[in-house]
Amino acid sequence: MRDDNESVQIAQVIERLIARFPAESPAEIELLVRRIHERFADARIRDFVPLLVEKAARQVVGVYPIEVTGEDPRSAPTMATI
């Protein structure tokens, strides 16, 4: 179950990534982070979820340009290694 603290931490992850990658669209970064966060919906231990989400998103944004396509990023070949 997600709590308010986790939501705040995910919002902070989005802010940090927007600051770190100014060439990328903030909307694209937010969509990517939220989709990666969805992968952890069933995680029982929630303490490290924001950290894992940030790490995965940073790897994707740092290596591959991102686009808002409406597609699930898990289906993209670039996400297979994460």
Side-chain angles (χ1 to χ4, degrees), residues 17-26 29:
L17 291 175
I18 289 170
R20 183 173 178 155
F21 299 100
E24 298 292 341
S25 163
I29 290 174

Side-chain angles (χ1 to χ4, degrees), residues 25-68:
S25 163
E28 292 170 347
I29 290 174
E30 181 175 1
L31 180 62
L32 176 69
V33 169
R34 299 227 181 264
R35 288 199 172 153
I36 292 171
H37 186 224
E38 288 173 7
R39 294 184 196 174
F40 295 94
D42 295 331
R44 285 196 240 164
I45 299 174
R46 310 290 314 168
D47 294 343
F48 298 104
V49 168
L51 177 66
L52 296 170
V53 169
E54 184 168 5
K55 182 177 179 181
R58 197 172 48 233
Q59 287 176 336
V60 171
V61 177
V63 176
Y64 304 102
I66 57 175
E67 295 179 13
V68 176

